[in-house]
């Protein structure tokens, strides 16, 4: 609650005059209120209890009074914030009245969140803020409108007074929406990497977004809505689509409906302001907004993120900024804060519909370059400009850069003419505003028309005519001078005609020269294309020759290997070579590879490449099949002993006795090795049987000894 010594105000000598003014205002308000029907609304008045605060960790409590058509419907003096929201949803008042908004929230963001949580159609009113922006304490307003004469109101009384003031049309409505609506069409789900159906899903969703975009556009056009449309195009449709509709959310009901499908959604939401704003509860006529006398060239880069840049007509930097989903009305407000726009510029040709609408709304010409500006050209324009002006502007992103480049391109396009008019005015010693003349030229007027217009504005409305008596000799002298001037004018006209004829001839000659130049350039281009094609073909021939040479060498190598293979096969047929099964190591993996690749049979002879170790399970499996191992090199002693203990014969052979064909070992002169293998197998088997018999005898003796000891 405000603390205000309003009793002093009413106790002054001007008390009667003040009351007359108050009653006059009161009568006007009552008439307005009855006209717009505020006295028939349901109004909820709120006042926070003493000692409570919305910034506290515990919930604040309020006094609440509800008026329905001017009559008290509800009074509660200890309502928590949670119950307050529940009451709002249950009773659905048309207005919520309070004397200080920050009794509901501790900050602007919290206040905006609170207003956003209210049901649609409910307006929050600060009754102490008048239509002209002045704020008066609740007690003063209560006395002015004869609602209470107390200098201090209790929370329930304050809530009731607030409700009554709002029902009388006093106060300002909190505004967090701009009367602008955003329609977003996008995917419902976010895709993750991978998946064999990902591309098909993307194609279908993009096509569905395109289809819905066309439907929304047709509906908006059919109902005559003003809007801006931003989208991201892909190969098979649209990635996303956004409409900024310049109409309140409620006016779109029945025109566009929100959709949330499995793949695509259509979301409709009002665009919120970025600060707490107010508008009078009872509309007042708006006074014209004052703007500075600075003339601006405004560069626009439209899109989902819109960039705006402003420079004055002398080329001085003013400001740049960019923002996502920037509506046209915010651009207009921002521009008029800095000056008067006289030219809108874009970097694209053809220009977008949004830029055309903005120029049309401002009533100024639109500058488009002869062709769309490239990135390198825009970067050079902006960089040179920033260096010249000592980086007075900070360009944070590509959208700001493109907007500034568009403004600079327009300025440099008109700069020669602007410099010419400035020089002309100084030569004529005219006491007129050069900037106004420049502004008129940027708006499409010729130099002569612009100067005349500015002179006409500065010319007095009424001029006194002075009648003088002039000597006849002076008159005759002036007539003679006029005749001479007429002769001179005729001569100048003849010279002008001759010059125009000469210009016509020169234009024809220029046309012929341009045609010849185009022909030469075309011929040169053809030769250049042929030269490039020859270079491309030569490079391709060189690559193909390298491939042919590589294939030739591979063919020779394969021919040699084929010849070698034929010789080996003949030797195998004649018995000079014998193919062997191979095991890389005597491990579980090596055994598994042997069985998978070659298989294993009884009395096989297997070549082991690396016999540096041997697993017991592997040796048992080899013994079970009576396999003889041919080991390349010299195996360790412990491997030979372990193999012998497990009944597996191991024979060392020299690597020179083994040839390889496609990864298969071939044993040269196999007859001696086969005999040696058979002898080794028999010796190892005898050793293994003898060792097993000894182990069995030892076990039996140990058992007998153990039994004898137990009997004793």
């Amino acid at each position: 609650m405000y603390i205000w010594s309003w009793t002093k105000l009413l106790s002054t000598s001007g008390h009667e005059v003040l009351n007359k003014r108050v009653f006059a205002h009161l009568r006007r308000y009552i008439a307005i209120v009855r006209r717009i029907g505020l006295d028939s609304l349901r109004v909820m008045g709120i006042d926070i209890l003493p000692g409570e605060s919305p910034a506290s960790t515990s919930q604040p409590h309020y006094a609440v009074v509800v008026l329905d058509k001017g009559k008290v419907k509800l009074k509660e003096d200890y309502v928590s914030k949670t119950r307050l929201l529940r009451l709002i949803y249950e009773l659905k008042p048309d207005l919520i009245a309070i004397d200080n908004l920050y009794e509901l929230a501790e900050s602007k963001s919290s206040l905006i969140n609170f207003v956003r949580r209210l049901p649609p159609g409910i307006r929050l009113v600060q009754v102490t803020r008048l239509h002209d922006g002045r704020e008066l304490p609740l007690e003063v307003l209560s006395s002015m409108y004869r609602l209470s004469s107390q200098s201090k109101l209790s929370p329930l009384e304050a809530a009731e007074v607030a409700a009554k003031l709002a029902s009388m049309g006093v106060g300002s409505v909190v505004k967090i929406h701009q009367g602008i609506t955003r329609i977003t069409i996008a995917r419902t789900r976010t895709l993750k990497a991978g998946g064999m159906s990902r591309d098909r899903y993307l194609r279908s969703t993009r096509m569905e977004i395109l289809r819905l975009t066309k439907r929304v556009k047709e509906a908006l056009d059919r109902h005559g809505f003003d809007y801006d449309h931003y989208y991201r195009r892909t190969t098979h449709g649209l990635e996303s689509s956004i409409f900024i509709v310049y109409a309140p959310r409620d006016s779109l009901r029945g025109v566009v409906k929100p959709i949330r499908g499995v793949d695509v959604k259509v979301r409709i939401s009002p665009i919120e302001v970025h600060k707490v704003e107010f508008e009078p509860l009872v509309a007042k006529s708006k006074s014209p907004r004052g703007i500075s006398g600075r003339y601006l060239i405004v560069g626009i880069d439209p899109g989902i993120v819109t960039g705006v840049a402003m420079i004055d007509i002398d080329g001085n930097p003013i400001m740049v900024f960019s923002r996502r989903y920037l509506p046209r009305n915010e651009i207009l407000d921002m521009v008029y804060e800095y000056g008067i726009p006289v030219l809108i510029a874009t970097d694209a040709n053809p220009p977008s519909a949004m830029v055309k609408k903005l120029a049309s709304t401002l009533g100024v010409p639109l500058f488009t370059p002869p062709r769309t500006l490239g990135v390198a050209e825009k970067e050079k324009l902006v960089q040179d400009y920033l260096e010249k002006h000592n980086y007075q502007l900070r360009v944070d992103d590509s959208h700001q850069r493109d907007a500034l480049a568009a403004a600079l391109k327009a300025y440099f396009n008109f700069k020669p003419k602007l410099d010419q008019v400035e020089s002309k005015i100084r030569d004529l010693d005219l006491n007129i505003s050069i900037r106004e003349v420049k502004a008129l030229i940027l708006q499409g007027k010729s130099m002569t028309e612009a100067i005349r217009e500015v002179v006409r504005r500065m010319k007095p409305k009424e001029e006194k005519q002075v009648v003088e008596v002039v000597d006849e000799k002076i008159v005759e002298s002036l007539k003679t001078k006029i005749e001479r001037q007429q002769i001179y004018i005729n001569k100048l006209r003849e010279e002008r005609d001759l010059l125009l004829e000469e210009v016509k001839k020169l234009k024809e000659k220029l046309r012929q020269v341009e045609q010849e130049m185009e022909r030469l350039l075309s011929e040169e281009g053809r030769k250049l294309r042929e030269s490039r094609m020859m270079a491309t073909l030569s490079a391709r021939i060189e690559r193909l020759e390298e491939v042919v040479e590589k294939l030739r060498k591979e063919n020779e190598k394969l021919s040699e290997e084929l010849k070698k293979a034929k010789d080996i096969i003949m030797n195998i047929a004649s018995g000079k070579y014998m193919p062997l099964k191979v095991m890389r190591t005597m491990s579980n993996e090596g055994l598994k590879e042997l069985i998978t690749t070659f298989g294993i049979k009884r009395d096989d002879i297997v070549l082991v490449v690396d016999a540096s170790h041997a697993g017991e399970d592997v040796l048992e499996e080899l013994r079970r099949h009576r396999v003889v191992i041919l080991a390349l090199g010299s195996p360790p002693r412990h491997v030979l002993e372990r193999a012998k203990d497990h009944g597996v014969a191991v024979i060392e052979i020299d690597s020179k006795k083994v040839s390889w064909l496609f990864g298969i070992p071939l044993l040269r002169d196999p007859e001696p090795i086969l005999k040696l293998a058979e002898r080794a197998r028999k010796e190892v088997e005898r050793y293994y049987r003898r060792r097993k018999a000894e182990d069995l005898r030892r076990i039996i003796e140990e058992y007998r000894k153990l039994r004898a000891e137990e009997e004793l």
Side-chain angles (χ1 to χ4, degrees):
M1 300 289 292
Y2 292 98
I3 299 174
W4 183 273
S5 58
W6 57 273
T7 53
K8 294 182 181 179
L9 178 64
L10 296 178
S11 63
T12 59
S13 58
H15 176 65
E16 294 180 0
V17 177
L18 177 61
N19 281 343
K20 288 180 181 179
R21 291 177 182 173
V22 168
F23 296 147
H25 282 296
L26 183 57
R27 283 193 297 271
R28 285 199 298 272
Y29 265 116
I30 290 172
I32 294 171
V33 166
R34 285 174 179 169
R35 187 169 68 248
I36 64 177
L38 288 179
D39 56 345
S40 63
L41 300 180
R42 179 176 292 176
V43 184
M44 176 182 284
I46 301 172
D47 189 53
I48 196 166
L49 298 183
E52 302 276 351
S53 170
S56 174
T57 54
S58 59
Q59 280 199 36
H61 292 80
Y62 301 89
V64 178
V65 175
V66 177
L67 300 181
D68 195 354
K69 297 181 181 179
K71 296 181 180 180
V72 176
K73 182 177 180 180
L74 173 73
K75 267 191 178 185
E76 290 193 25
D77 60 355
Y78 195 75
V79 178
S80 67
K81 195 170 184 179
T82 303
R83 172 154 171 72
L84 175 63
L85 284 169
R86 194 180 303 120
L87 282 173
I88 292 171
Y89 272 86
E90 288 175 0
L91 300 176
K92 290 185 173 56
D94 300 290
L95 302 176
I96 299 175
I98 194 167
D99 65 331
N100 183 2
L101 294 176
Y102 292 100
E103 292 179 1
L104 291 170
E106 70 274 12
S107 63
K108 290 181 180 179
S109 59
S110 300
L111 179 62
I112 290 174
N113 287 333
F114 178 83
V115 178
R116 190 186 294 125
R117 292 167 66 186
L118 298 178
I122 296 180
R123 293 179 291 172
L124 179 62
V125 181
Q126 181 173 323
V127 295
T128 55
R129 184 184 179 91
L130 304 183
H131 67 276
D132 56 2
R134 292 183 299 119
E135 293 191 9
L136 292 178
L138 189 65
E139 290 85 351
V140 173
L141 291 170
S142 174
S143 178
M144 286 172 62
Y145 289 93
R146 292 195 168 185
L147 299 175
S148 174
S149 59
Q150 298 183 34
S151 60
K152 182 68 175 176
L153 300 173
S154 68
L156 266 178
E157 290 171 339
E160 186 173 352
V161 167
K164 289 180 177 179
L165 286 172
S167 65
M168 296 168 67
V170 179
S172 298
V173 179
V174 178
K175 181 183 177 184
I176 68 166
H177 297 138
Q178 300 183 354
I180 303 174
T181 307
R182 181 189 301 133
I183 303 174
T184 305
I185 306 172
R187 288 200 308 266
T188 305
R189 295 178 289 176
T190 302
L191 291 181
K192 295 182 179 179
M196 59 188 299
S197 300
R198 182 177 185 274
D199 292 340
R200 185 172 67 253
Y201 170 76
L202 275 176
R203 284 195 300 271
S204 64
T205 53
R206 287 167 177 171
M207 291 175 67
E208 180 65 11
I209 291 172
L210 177 60
R211 187 183 67 81
L212 289 173
T213 297
K214 289 180 178 179
R215 279 178 52 188
V216 171
K217 188 175 186 303
E218 289 171 358
L220 294 175
D221 291 339
R222 188 167 57 250
H223 289 81
F225 284 101
D226 182 20
Y227 63 86
D228 293 326
H229 183 205
Y230 306 110
Y231 53 85
R232 283 192 289 178
R233 187 180 294 279
T234 60
T235 307
H236 301 288
L238 299 180
E239 184 69 24
S240 63
S241 180
I242 294 171
F243 291 87
I244 304 295
V245 185
Y246 296 94
R249 169 68 182 90
D250 292 341
S251 64
L252 290 175
R253 299 189 189 281
V255 179
V256 181
K257 296 181 180 179
I259 298 172
R260 185 170 184 85
V262 178
D263 300 325
V264 179
K265 61 184 175 183
V266 177
R267 187 172 67 250
I268 306 173
S269 57
I271 295 181
E272 299 174 349
V273 298
H274 296 275
K275 57 184 179 180
V276 178
E277 295 182 354
F278 296 90
E279 61 183 10
L281 181 57
V282 178
K284 298 287 178 182
S285 60
K286 295 183 179 179
S287 58
R289 176 175 49 179
I291 54 179
S292 65
R294 182 166 49 190
Y295 297 104
L296 303 176
I297 299 174
V298 183
I300 303 291
D301 178 50
I304 293 178
V305 178
T306 299
V308 180
M310 291 179 243
I311 62 175
D312 64 17
I313 56 177
D314 294 323
N316 298 313
I318 304 299
M319 66 90 68
V320 293
F321 76 100
S322 59
R323 210 179 75 214
R324 291 173 68 87
Y325 314 127
L326 187 62
R328 266 181 278 143
N329 64 329
E330 287 195 25
I331 297 175
L332 297 178
D333 291 341
M334 180 69 72
V335 169
Y336 276 116
E337 284 182 13
Y338 287 89
I340 305 171
V342 293
L343 186 67
I344 299 294
T346 180
D347 64 333
N349 189 349
S352 69
M354 183 268 194
V355 178
K356 290 180 180 178
K357 290 179 182 178
L358 184 63
S360 176
T361 304
L362 291 169
V364 299
L366 172 62
F367 171 81
T368 55
R371 53 175 178 78
T372 299
L373 302 182
V375 174
E377 183 179 0
K378 289 186 284 191
E379 287 180 347
K380 187 175 188 309
L381 267 173
V382 172
Q383 185 64 29
D384 293 346
Y385 181 77
L386 294 178
E387 289 178 358
K388 180 181 177 181
H389 292 275
N390 298 320
Y391 293 91
Q392 294 180 32
L393 292 179
R394 177 180 172 181
V395 179
D396 293 327
D397 53 47
S398 61
H399 309 287
Q400 296 181 8
R401 178 203 65 197
D402 293 352
L404 182 56
L408 292 174
K409 186 70 175 178
Y411 170 71
F412 288 126
N413 182 74
F414 286 97
K415 190 175 186 300
K417 197 169 185 179
L418 298 179
D419 293 342
Q420 183 183 358
V421 73
E422 189 172 346
S423 175
K424 184 74 172 176
I425 292 172
R426 287 173 181 165
D427 290 344
L428 294 174
D429 196 20
L430 295 175
N431 187 21
I432 60 175
S433 172
I434 296 177
R435 289 185 177 178
E436 288 191 19
V437 177
K438 289 182 176 180
L440 290 173
I441 287 175
L442 290 176
Q443 289 179 342
K445 292 185 179 294
S446 66
M447 188 187 305
T448 305
E449 290 172 342
I451 293 174
R452 284 179 180 173
E453 176 69 20
V454 176
V455 170
R456 185 185 62 79
R457 292 175 186 173
M458 299 180 66
K459 189 175 181 181
K461 293 182 179 179
E462 295 182 0
E463 295 182 353
K464 294 183 179 179
Q465 294 184 355
V466 180
V467 180
E468 298 180 357
V469 179
V470 185
D471 193 298
E472 290 183 1
K473 290 182 179 180
I474 297 175
V475 172
E476 290 296 329
S477 174
L478 290 173
K479 286 181 179 179
T480 304
K481 191 173 182 179
I482 289 171
E483 289 175 358
R484 286 200 301 269
Q485 291 294 332
Q486 188 63 45
I487 294 170
Y488 181 65
I489 289 170
N490 292 335
K491 184 179 179 182
L492 289 176
R493 284 176 176 170
E494 291 176 359
E495 290 179 358
R496 183 201 63 185
D497 293 339
L498 291 173
L499 289 173
L500 288 174
E501 186 65 27
E502 185 67 22
V503 168
K504 186 177 180 181
K505 292 179 181 178
L506 289 173
K507 283 183 177 179
E508 179 61 25
K509 189 173 182 180
L510 177 62
R511 187 183 63 80
Q512 294 175 359
V513 170
E514 287 177 346
Q515 288 179 350
E516 181 64 19
M517 186 181 295
E518 287 180 1
R519 188 186 66 79
L520 292 174
L521 288 174
S522 176
E523 182 69 21
E524 188 67 24
R526 185 182 61 78
K527 291 180 180 178
L528 182 62
R529 287 194 298 273
E530 290 178 355
S531 175
R532 288 177 179 172
M533 187 178 293
M534 289 295 295
T536 303
L537 291 174
S538 298
R540 187 176 180 185
I541 289 171
E542 290 179 0
R543 288 196 300 271
L544 291 174
E545 287 177 348
E546 291 175 358
V547 171
V548 169
E549 180 63 21
K550 183 179 179 181
L551 292 174
R552 186 185 62 78
K553 290 180 179 179
E554 289 181 357
N555 186 38
E556 290 178 355
K557 183 179 178 181
L558 290 173
S559 298
E560 292 177 0
E561 290 182 355
L562 182 60
K563 183 179 179 182
K564 181 180 177 182
K566 288 180 179 179
D567 294 341
I568 290 175
I569 290 171
M570 293 297 294
N571 289 328
I572 291 173
S574 61
K576 294 180 180 180
Y577 284 88
M578 185 183 77
L580 297 173
K581 296 179 181 180
V582 64
M583 185 164 62
R584 301 294 173 186
T585 60
M586 286 192 290
S587 62
N588 291 327
E589 290 78 9
L591 179 62
K592 184 177 180 181
E593 183 183 358
L594 169 67
I595 294 171
T596 303
T597 307
F598 300 101
I600 185 170
K601 296 189 298 185
R602 187 177 179 81
D603 296 334
D604 267 345
I605 298 176
V606 177
L607 178 70
V608 176
V609 178
D610 179 10
S612 59
H613 64 278
E616 292 188 3
D617 294 341
V618 176
L619 292 173
E620 282 296 327
E621 183 68 18
L622 296 175
R623 182 196 62 76
R624 194 168 63 82
H625 289 86
R626 301 182 71 229
V627 173
V628 176
I629 298 298
L630 300 182
L632 287 176
S634 300
R637 184 177 183 84
H638 70 276
V639 172
L640 295 174
E641 290 176 354
R642 178 178 289 181
K644 186 175 180 182
D645 291 342
H646 284 78
V648 177
V650 178
I651 300 173
E652 301 178 21
I653 63 169
D654 191 353
S655 59
K656 294 179 180 179
K657 288 186 171 292
V658 179
S659 297
W660 295 84
L661 178 65
F662 305 126
I664 298 174
L666 301 171
L667 182 63
R668 294 180 182 176
D669 193 13
E671 191 63 30
I673 300 297
L674 291 175
K675 292 179 180 179
L676 180 61
E678 186 61 29
R679 269 198 318 273
R681 180 187 291 117
K682 291 178 180 179
E683 289 177 2
V684 168
E685 286 179 350
R686 284 196 298 271
Y687 171 80
Y688 183 76
R689 285 195 296 271
R690 187 169 59 251
R691 185 170 173 276
K692 286 293 182 182
E694 290 176 357
D695 290 343
L696 182 60
R697 272 197 307 274
R698 186 173 65 253
I699 290 170
I700 292 172
E701 289 176 358
E702 289 177 356
Y703 176 74
R704 286 175 177 174
K705 185 185 292 185
L706 182 62
R707 292 284 295 177
E709 291 176 355
E710 287 177 355
E711 289 176 356
L712 293 175

